[in-house]
Amino acid sequence: MFRQVLDPVAHSLAWSSLVAALPLLTLFVLLGVVRMRAWTASLTALAVALLVAVWTYGMPVGQAVLAGTEGAAFGFFPILWIVINAIWVYTMTVQTGHFDVLRRSFARVSDDQRIQAIIIAFSFGALLEALAGFGTPVAVTSVMLIALGFRPLKAAVLALTANTAPVAFGAMATPILTLGKVTSQSSDTLGAMVGRQTPILALFVPLVLVSIVDGRRGLRQTWPVALVCGVAFAVAQYATSNFVSVPLADVVASLVSVAAVVAMVRPRLRPSGPAVVAGGAADEPTPEFAERVARPDDRREVLRAYLPYATIIAVFVVCQITAVKNALGEATQTVRWPGLHLKSAAGGTLSLPTFTLNYLTSPGTQMLAAGLLTMIILRMSVRGALRAYRDTLVQLRWAILTVMLVLALAFVMNASGQTITLGTWMAGAGGFFAFLSPILGWLGTAVTGSDTSSNSLFGALQVAAAGRADLSPVLLAAANSSGGVLGKMVSPQNLAIAAAAVGLDGREGDIFRRVIIWGLIFLAGMCVLALLQASAILSWMVP
């Protein structure tokens, strides 16, 4: 049995915190300064965490290694199990051509590029974030915008700015499920709290997008559509995450926001005519794409292009029915991680070694079921579907390794006491720590490129600090994820993805300068919101 120690270095919390921060500093420097590949940086940081755990905190080597293996296992199931199956569904739609059908369907909604930016970068990007995440929305929507005539730099900026409000619920709420595991808090409660923070951000993102496309004129002329889109998304995200299903929050919100925009725009569409191009904001759509948009796809193919997303919603809704959920829950198995025995500094038994295998209630398994139905809907052969699955695994091979290593790092730090040391020291900020809480999440995502990784690194630290500062652990853990979504637009990984997608390799700095101002403005707003929610003013918003 290993018992954690808060101040192993000279019985000083400050000195102990400096040592405990070494694994995180290693990861941040290797990723942000040295520009080392993510999996290599994560592996190096994991090695540092193991050394600190053994030599500084006195954790037995076997226990430290076992903690890392549990983290890696949790990284694969349920985290990567969700991502792999979600991207498999997306890959099948691409390989059958139905993704292009969907893209053209969106393009025909309006010939005003300001509206197109809202629909594609924000609403459709949110749907891609819900199903796949991990950079997919930025890559796909930026290419779609270029096909519609946006200049590469502007397309990249729009895609990155839009990829904010939906991120916490991305890949079927993978960041929140991870947060629940590392903090021992209910994922449903955390999702409900995030659903009372990010929807406020969603109100403003469409307005910012039209401003980026066409400045003040765009804001003046299209603010009603942008506002309706933001309100529809915000209300749907809040309602779904709080009352229906946390994993479905972005799926429902994206579709509701698209429907709201279509309802406003359709009656005013001109039967023909040139696209409305904001002054100098874009070129004309590519001739090939313009021709395909002018000739509508067969209605049955359009319906088939939308059906995979409707199928996902249907499967998840059915699985939330109490009788069905209870029946599926019978297959859940809870085990103690072999050989891992931990006590907190206070002497209590830690729940970290408890590993839950929810075979059928896992969002990943339900996504797999939706994928099998999608295979039938898209008339894809078994061989074709298996080939798509293989392609998905090949595409994600480095991401799979990175996520497993980052989760292993987080579990080693949590099990050895490094995280609780940092949290206890930072709690010295008192109530003001609520203001700083989103900044930690932002920093974690900015460096790692993933809200999931940020939550795994800092989630337990936030809860530890909350306990010491007499703040709500649910609020601070959720603020980590909500602040983290804003780091996505400035992370080196996402900037590189955007630059590569639009053909601007080497100009990541230009893109960064265009998005950093909006990112900091949004972050300041999230910090103020978290501080108010920690005070008597908005404490009623905390579940």
Side-chain angles (χ1 to χ4, degrees), residues 94-105:
V94 171
Q95 293 188 355
T96 58
H98 288 90
F99 180 78
D100 286 333
V101 174
L102 188 68
R103 181 168 57 127
R104 291 191 291 271
S105 174

Side-chain angles (χ1 to χ4, degrees), residues 73-433:
F74 179 74
F76 189 84
F77 186 92
I79 303 306
L80 287 165
W81 181 236
I82 302 169
V83 176
I84 291 169
N85 290 315
I87 295 186
W88 175 50
V89 174
Y90 164 71
T91 302
M92 285 194 290
T93 65
V94 171
Q95 293 188 355
T96 58
H98 288 90
F99 180 78
D100 286 333
V101 174
L102 188 68
R103 181 168 57 127
R104 291 191 291 271
S105 174
F106 286 155
R108 281 191 291 271
V109 171
S110 173
D111 53 6
D112 188 325
Q113 290 193 327
R114 297 164 298 194
I115 305 301
Q116 291 172 348
I118 295 174
I119 294 175
I120 293 174
F122 183 68
S123 297
F124 186 59
L127 184 59
L128 291 176
E129 182 66 41
L131 301 181
F134 292 91
T136 302
V138 172
V140 173
T141 59
S142 58
V143 171
M144 290 174 68
L145 291 172
I146 288 177
L148 289 171
F150 288 80
R151 291 176 180 170
L153 182 60
K154 186 150 289 185
V157 171
L158 288 168
L160 286 166
T161 305
N163 191 220
T164 47
V167 169
F169 296 98
M172 291 295 157
T174 295
I176 292 174
L177 294 176
T178 303
L179 189 62
K181 175 63 178 178
V182 300
T183 61
S184 299
Q185 301 287 320
S186 165
S187 296
D188 289 336
T189 304
L190 291 170
M193 185 66 240
V194 174
R196 302 175 191 199
Q197 293 174 329
T198 56
I200 297 175
L201 171 65
L203 292 173
F204 299 98
V205 173
L207 294 168
V208 170
L209 294 180
V210 298
S211 176
I212 292 173
V213 174
D214 196 22
R216 292 182 180 178
R217 183 181 69 171
L219 195 59
R220 185 175 64 253
Q221 294 179 352
T222 58
W223 70 264
V225 178
L227 184 61
V228 166
C229 178
V231 169
F233 187 96
V235 171
Q237 192 183 60
Y238 160 74
T240 307
S241 62
N242 278 265
F243 306 114
V244 182
S245 166
V246 172
L248 276 181
D250 275 353
V251 177
V252 175
S254 61
L255 295 178
V256 169
S257 64
V258 166
V261 173
V262 171
M264 284 197 70
V265 173
R266 273 293 187 184
R268 296 184 294 163
L269 284 181
R270 298 191 299 273
S272 62
V276 178
V277 180
D283 302 316
E284 291 297 325
T286 59
E288 180 184 356
F289 187 79
E291 182 181 353
R292 294 299 302 273
V293 171
R295 292 185 291 108
D297 295 285
D298 183 83
R299 288 188 177 182
R300 288 172 296 183
E301 291 303 305
V302 174
L303 176 62
R304 192 171 286 123
Y306 280 91
L307 277 177
Y309 307 102
T311 301
I312 291 170
I313 295 175
V315 168
F316 274 82
V317 168
V318 168
C319 290
Q320 291 300 313
I321 297 173
T322 303
V324 176
K325 189 174 183 179
N326 291 339
L328 296 176
E330 293 294 326
T332 299
Q333 182 182 5
T334 301
V335 298
R336 294 282 299 182
W337 198 255
L340 190 59
H341 308 287
L342 306 173
K343 280 183 178 284
S344 67
T349 302
L350 294 177
S351 62
L352 188 70
T354 302
F355 196 89
T356 302
L357 294 165
N358 51 333
Y359 301 106
L360 299 182
T361 57
S362 166
T365 303
Q366 294 167 14
M367 181 62 74
L368 176 64
L372 295 173
L373 293 173
T374 297
M375 181 182 73
I376 298 172
I377 292 169
L378 300 182
R379 298 176 182 176
M380 202 169 193
S381 66
V382 174
R383 178 177 294 181
L386 289 174
R387 189 184 307 115
Y389 208 97
R390 181 202 64 195
D391 294 344
T392 299
L393 290 173
V394 171
Q395 173 192 346
L396 292 176
R397 62 189 184 280
W398 298 118
I400 290 172
L401 181 58
T402 300
V403 170
M404 293 178 70
L405 288 171
V406 169
L407 265 297
L409 166 64
F411 271 57
V412 170
M413 292 188 65
N414 293 346
S416 64
Q418 297 172 58
T419 300
I420 192 72
T421 296
L422 287 168
T424 303
W425 176 68
M426 296 181 70
F432 189 69
F433 184 73

